[in-house]
Amino acid sequence: MPDARSEADLGLAGCCALVQTAERGGFAFALLPDMAGAEDVDAIAGHDRGREAMANVAWLESMQMVPALAMLTSRIGLVATASVNGNDPFHVARRFATIDHISGGRAGWHVETAQRIDEMRNLGDAAALEPVANRERAAEFVAVCAGLWNSWDADAVLRDRESGRYFDPDKVHLLNHRGRFYSVRGPLNVARCPQGRPVIVQSCHAVDDGDLAASCADVVLVHLTSVESTRDLVRDLRARAAGCGRAAADVKVLAHLLPIVGATDREAESRWSLLQSLLADGAGSAADPAALSAERCRIVCGAPGTIADRMQDWLEACALDGFAIEFPYYPAPVTEFVDHVVPELLRRGIFRAGETGTTLREQLGLRHDGIVGGAPTGRSDRSTAPWRL
Amino acid sequence: MARPRPEMALAAFLFPPGSHTAGWRMPDARSDGDMDIHAYIHAAQVAERGLFDMLFIQDSAAVIGSAAMARGERQSGTSSRAVRLEPLTLMSALAAVTSRVGLVATATTTYNEPFHIARKFLTLDHVSGGRAGWNLVTSQTEDEAGNFGLEQHVDHALRYERAVEFQEVVVGLWDSCEADAFLVDKENGRYFDARKIHRLDHIGRFFSVRGPLNVPRSPQGRPVIAQAGSSEPGKELAARTADVVFTAQTTVADAVAFYNDVKGRMARYGRDPDEMKIMPGLNFMVADSEAEAGELYDRMASLVPLDVAIQSINRLAGGIDLRDHPLDGPLPALPPSNAARARQDMLVSLARDSGMSIRELARFFSMGNGHNVVYGTPTHIADVMEQYFVAGAADGFTIMTPYESAPIERFVSRVIPQLQRRGLFRTAYRGRTLREHLGLLPPARRPALHGPGRMSAAG
């Protein structure tokens, strides 16, 4: 598209402008997807012209972007992606707790559990785990992070100049985790974060993913397939969450949505046609860029009112808590959505912008620390994870 | 050795809550220097006002003393090295609120993956407009091992072998994308030229990394690499790869010897001595008079609880517990340390040369972690710096504020002008990137050293 800029091209300034626009539009959070490696590396090496058409070859790492964005925004949540594969839970826990402190309690962790071949080859190239083992590992990874985030009680750090006591040793807790995949002693060397722990976001593409999401995710991202199957998926997720001792309000389910906005329905349709033709031109034999694949993300074309109507339909029919809005390119569609669709959502009373809290948890209407069972500062059993599958 | 540039380089060292382990107890110290982003922002802005080449933040991936906690040893809670913000994350935030000062974060090669490190630092480089630097260290504390699945920490020699390979992989990855790889040719639907993006295909003893790194080329050619090891393999690695070397030196003679030793090794790697800046640490307090400086020294020394001071050298004692020995007596013979070998050597030679007792050594070390300590008037501090610089003992200094933030503010307002008047330090930033500040040209992109299945040579 003539006015489009790629993510790498945008840099911090460009990305910041998008996030600030979203903040102006009252979005609860901005989520930056990520991967430790370019996709389809073989096509790059083969100098595949179709691969050269796709911009997803170089961009900026989400966990390093988010702290900078935190300095340049004040209300919007900031969710960076980190994979449980090829990472250390201690590092991940440390970084997200740090982002939470820096942002004043607006941090979220998009937990990536997929074993992506292009990424694995950059991180030691171990053989992929069987899906069951991969899910176990993901669950253990998240549990270790959760345990580490509980290392310091809220009032553990004293900094008492008179006595010289920097902290109260009785309020700092070793983790002493020894599991199938990880062995982590702790404590974390970051004080308790403003939200108690960062918001955990997980994608649930298939029923199999549901266990981890139901047991520990604050926000679950789903795809809109048919009304019936989406409604069933959402219902199933909430039931499983209840089975883990979680309240209905503990889990927010958002559906991916890619709106193509036009002044009129017809204009939106022709815009969509243009996008598809550009894609067909460049793609050649390579895979479709994920964002524009109809299978991957529900696309809604229309005037702002049409889009708002469809969103309302989906929201009510599937008992969703909201949407994860994706954009066909940057930056114009973000501004268009905020300027034209958000007012329609506000008018329908299905969206409430404005300050509802300072932390991301509060904005999402989640309990303050999200710890299942027991007070945040007192746990009887510190050596096991708060969640169980 | 002829000095091509008359100006020294300066780094502002951040070691939360201050380089002096008990400086936080001073009445004018910030109490939030470990966890509050505003304290760090202030430190960064003071350094930038002072025209420092860079901020440099130390790190350890553990609560200091956690191994002892795990053994059930009673903790007094007096150690200030307990919580802090993670450095790489922090530096991205500081990038957003500064515009010139370099941002050098420590990241260990012992408990990280090179692909992640390459990616994070190159992203920081973009976020900051070319001001990123990586302080490459190996992990030397027992505390960290337990957070990464190990019973005890990695042996010294093995750590360095891994560090050598790690660094090779990171630098190779930073070369993945050529500067003009991104065409953004909308007309022809061609975003990038695949011939200008290179896989690494590294297969080595420790790492298997295919690449390419999915981040565009650095705005400064390549992030700056700093190192701090003073052991044999540390010096060799530095000579081969470091742009900046941090070191602890407490006399001009020792500093000159170290300087000549390290720079003398560079030719072997096809490097010119000017391609590296050696910047020894300097703990300080700015006083109005010599008498006041002496009082400040005694006062700061007295703030350190004895057990904390002893702990600061106990970790270098090679396994013995110094508390079992008379504290006002001499340092006993020490078994070799698996922790900081060079620091242990320095402790031993300092003990021998100064005749300090265990108690006095503990005080000195806890006041500066083994680095030089100079409390004095602005003139005196500038004199010491000039002396080292002119003697060929240093290309600059790593300025270690004992606590935040009055001392470093005083340094900026009173010592920097002295250095500027003497023509020893810049009066304005001339460039935008860290390489420009340091006068280090970006390295030419290395020709393809890595082919499929190439085995990495160590050392």
Side-chain angles (χ1 to χ4, degrees):
Chain A
M1 294 296 278
D3 60 326
R5 299 182 66 196
S6 75
E7 290 169 49
D9 200 26
L10 284 170
L12 175 65
C15 187
C16 176
L18 297 178
V19 176
Q20 285 172 341
T21 302
E23 184 169 74
R24 176 165 64 78
F27 279 67
F29 61 85
L31 187 153
L32 281 66
D34 208 359
M35 183 166 137
E39 282 177 310
D40 207 5
V41 167
D42 287 331
I44 297 174
H47 303 161
D48 185 316
R49 286 304 298 271
R51 184 66 182 86
E52 285 184 343
M54 289 162 9
N56 56 335
V57 62
W59 61 93
L60 302 181
E61 205 233 21
S62 70
M63 288 179 70
Q64 291 300 129
M65 285 289 278
V66 158
L69 294 170
M71 294 287 96
L72 303 167
T73 54
S74 56
R75 297 193 309 280
I76 193 167
L78 297 165
V79 180
T81 299
S83 173
V84 298
N85 298 311
N87 253 314
D88 278 295
F90 193 90
H91 285 316
V92 170
R94 201 180 171 207
R95 294 194 165 117
F96 281 100
T98 297
I99 293 171
D100 206 43
H101 279 280
I102 288 174
S103 66
R106 294 183 284 135
W109 172 24
H110 175 226
V111 181
E112 181 58 72
T113 60
Q115 298 182 89
R116 303 175 287 191
I117 186 71
D118 288 308
E119 187 174 59
M120 288 164 60
R121 283 178 177 153
N122 293 326
L123 298 169
D125 206 9
L129 294 180
E130 291 302 303
V132 171
N134 188 43
R135 283 197 291 277
E136 256 192 69
R137 177 173 58 184
E140 190 180 330
F141 193 112
V142 176
V144 169
C145 289
L148 287 171
W149 287 322
N150 269 339
S151 297
W152 293 80
D153 291 350
D155 52 352
V157 185
L158 306 170
R159 304 186 192 96
D160 185 345
R161 285 172 223 247
E162 289 282 315
S163 67
R165 278 187 106 207
Y166 206 84
F167 64 90
D168 181 347
D170 294 330
K171 300 195 174 183
V172 187
H173 315 286
L174 293 163
L175 183 64
N176 280 329
H177 172 91
R178 283 182 193 283
R180 178 178 166 193
F181 297 96
Y182 303 105
S183 181
V184 180
R185 187 203 59 233
L188 195 66
N189 56 339
V190 185
R192 191 172 196 78
C193 45
Q195 297 188 95
R197 65 170 173 85
V199 166
I200 291 187
V201 180
Q202 232 205 305
S203 297
C204 181
H205 301 308
V207 163
D208 285 345
D209 295 336
D211 278 339
L212 183 61
S215 67
C216 69
D218 298 299
V219 176
V220 183
L221 305 176
V222 300
H223 287 307
L224 292 170
T225 49
S226 68
V227 172
E228 293 74 23
S229 46
T230 303
R231 182 167 50 207
D232 288 345
L233 175 62
V234 175
R235 190 177 293 145
D236 177 64
L237 268 169
R238 297 201 197 277
R240 284 202 244 188
C244 297
R246 305 179 72 196
D250 284 346
V251 186
K252 303 302 174 189
V253 184
L254 309 182
H256 289 281
L257 192 78
L258 197 160
I260 310 285
V261 186
T264 63
D265 286 351
R266 177 166 304 169
E267 193 196 284
E269 311 258 338
S270 63
R271 205 181 251 204
W272 175 224
S273 300
L274 172 59
L275 278 166
Q276 286 183 299
S277 72
L278 288 172
L279 179 64
D281 260 353
S285 60
D288 288 341
L292 289 181
S293 160
E295 290 89 47
R296 192 199 161 275
C297 182
R298 173 64 52 168
I299 291 167
V300 178
C301 261
T306 306
I307 292 183
D309 286 342
R310 297 302 326 278
M311 288 173 75
Q312 184 164 14
D313 291 343
W314 283 106
L315 200 68
E316 289 164 3
C318 302
L320 297 168
D321 295 296
F323 297 90
I325 306 295
E326 299 198 32
F327 303 94
Y329 61 92
Y330 306 113
V334 181
T335 313
E336 281 162 5
F337 187 92
V338 166
D339 287 344
H340 302 297
V341 181
V342 167
E344 291 292 325
L345 299 171
L346 291 169
R347 257 183 344 104
R348 285 164 180 67
I350 56 173
F351 181 57
R352 201 181 61 226
E355 317 233 3
T356 51
T358 50
T359 68
L360 177 54
R361 265 183 200 289
E362 284 164 2
Q363 279 207 63
L364 291 169
L366 298 165
R367 284 193 286 168
H368 181 254
D369 52 29
I371 303 292
V372 175
T377 55
R379 282 195 307 167
S380 54
D381 180 11
R382 289 197 180 273
S383 61
T384 59
W387 299 295
R388 287 151 182 73
L389 292 183
Chain B
M1 201 177 288
R3 185 163 295 286
R5 289 177 72 233
E7 294 170 354
M8 59 177 68
L10 291 180
F13 188 70
L14 300 180
F15 187 5
S19 286
H20 187 292
T21 184
W24 63 276
R25 296 178 68 192
M26 290 290 275
D28 60 334
R30 288 188 78 121
S31 61
D32 54 0
D34 52 3
M35 289 306 310
D36 191 342
I37 184 62
H38 298 99
Y40 290 92
I41 291 173
H42 183 71
Q45 290 176 338
V46 168
E48 191 159 88
R49 180 160 32 98
L51 307 174
F52 276 68
D53 295 70
M54 64 190 112
L55 286 175
F56 160 46
I57 186 156
Q58 178 273 0
D59 192 43
S60 168
V63 171
I64 303 305
S66 50
M69 280 171 75
R71 288 192 292 270
E73 290 175 28
R74 177 83 191 115
Q75 299 292 301
S76 61
T78 52
S79 168
S80 63
R81 313 292 186 203
V83 293
R84 29 96 49 86
L85 297 180
E86 193 275 324
L88 263 171
T89 313
L90 168 67
M91 286 310 195
S92 271
L94 295 180
V97 296
T98 54
S99 64
R100 291 289 188 281
V101 71
L103 304 164
V104 180
T106 297
T108 180
T109 56
T110 309
Y111 304 118
N112 269 303
E113 280 290 327
F115 197 91
H116 288 315
I117 292 302
R119 195 155 180 253
K120 288 175 188 292
F121 278 95
L122 192 46
T123 296
L124 174 63
D125 213 22
H126 282 281
V127 164
S128 66
R131 295 183 279 139
W134 169 34
N135 179 39
L136 182 166
V137 299
T138 66
S139 286
Q140 50 178 303
T141 71
E142 308 286 343
D143 299 322
E144 291 168 275
N147 292 328
F148 300 96
L150 299 180
E151 291 295 335
Q152 62 179 123
H153 83 106
V154 182
D155 162 78
H156 189 278
L158 205 60
R159 289 203 310 261
Y160 270 92
E161 276 189 57
R162 181 186 161 102
V164 168
E165 190 180 332
F166 195 113
Q167 186 271 345
E168 266 186 40
V169 172
V170 168
V171 170
L173 288 171
W174 283 341
D175 275 348
S176 296
C177 301
E178 295 183 33
D180 54 352
F182 296 96
L183 307 168
V184 198
D185 181 356
K186 296 187 187 192
E187 288 267 320
N188 297 307
R190 202 168 173 221
Y191 186 72
F192 66 93
D193 183 347
R195 295 165 306 175
K196 300 196 172 185
I197 296 190
H198 309 279
R199 274 175 24 196
L200 187 65
D201 286 326
H202 173 93
I203 300 174
R205 177 176 174 187
F206 297 94
F207 307 110
S208 169
V209 180
R210 194 187 195 201
L213 186 66
N214 54 327
V215 185
R217 191 170 192 76
S218 157
Q220 54 174 340
R222 182 193 293 171
V224 165
I225 292 183
Q227 285 164 41
S230 296
S231 61
E232 260 311 300
K235 286 187 279 193
E236 204 59 31
L237 180 61
R240 207 178 90 155
T241 63
D243 298 303
V244 174
V245 171
F246 298 117
T247 179
Q249 303 295 339
T250 50
T251 68
V252 174
D254 285 345
V256 169
F258 175 82
Y259 188 101
N260 291 336
D261 180 0
V262 175
K263 296 225 172 180
R265 303 177 191 224
M266 292 172 76
R268 185 180 319 158
Y269 300 105
R271 299 182 72 200
D272 191 271
D274 291 333
E275 291 175 39
M276 175 202 289
K277 305 300 169 193
I278 296 185
M279 303 175 60
L282 183 65
N283 289 278
F284 71 93
M285 277 284 258
V286 181
D288 289 324
S289 66
E290 227 184 279
E292 193 200 347
E295 280 164 21
L296 279 171
Y297 188 97
D298 290 338
R299 193 168 174 203
M300 294 283 274
S302 72
L303 284 179
V304 185
L306 191 57
D307 66 321
V308 175
I310 298 291
Q311 197 172 50
S312 75
I313 55 173
N314 235 0
R315 69 182 188 91
L316 305 177
I320 71 169
D321 190 339
L322 292 168
R323 291 169 295 186
D324 297 334
H325 300 261
L327 295 183
D328 292 309
L331 192 72
L334 303 179
S337 169
N338 193 22
R341 187 156 293 175
R343 284 287 165 84
Q344 187 191 60
D345 290 344
M346 193 198 315
L347 174 66
V348 169
S349 79
L350 183 64
R352 184 188 57 234
D353 295 350
S354 66
M356 283 198 256
S357 65
I358 294 178
R359 189 193 307 270
E360 287 166 328
L361 288 165
R363 286 250 136 94
F364 184 89
F365 258 72
S366 67
M367 286 189 56
N369 198 29
H371 284 271
N372 208 1
V373 183
V374 178
Y375 283 31
T377 61
T379 304
H380 177 69
I381 295 175
D383 284 347
V384 170
M385 293 171 73
E386 181 167 13
Q387 183 193 13
Y388 273 76
F389 188 62
V390 162
D395 298 304
F397 300 89
T398 304
I399 304 299
M400 303 173 142
T401 190
Y403 57 90
E404 297 290 347
S405 56
I408 188 69
E409 288 176 22
R410 231 172 274 142
F411 187 97
V412 164
S413 61
R414 299 175 65 186
V415 180
I416 294 283
Q418 283 262 355
L419 298 171
Q420 288 168 329
R421 269 198 294 278
R422 302 178 196 203
L424 295 172
F425 194 60
R426 65 172 62 88
T427 53
Y429 286 114
R430 292 175 205 101
R432 298 191 71 97
T433 68
L434 179 52
R435 284 193 178 277
E436 285 173 300
H437 301 334
L438 293 169
L440 298 174
L441 292 172
R445 189 181 170 275
R446 298 189 307 177
L449 294 177
H450 300 271
R454 174 185 176 274
M455 297 299 290
S456 162

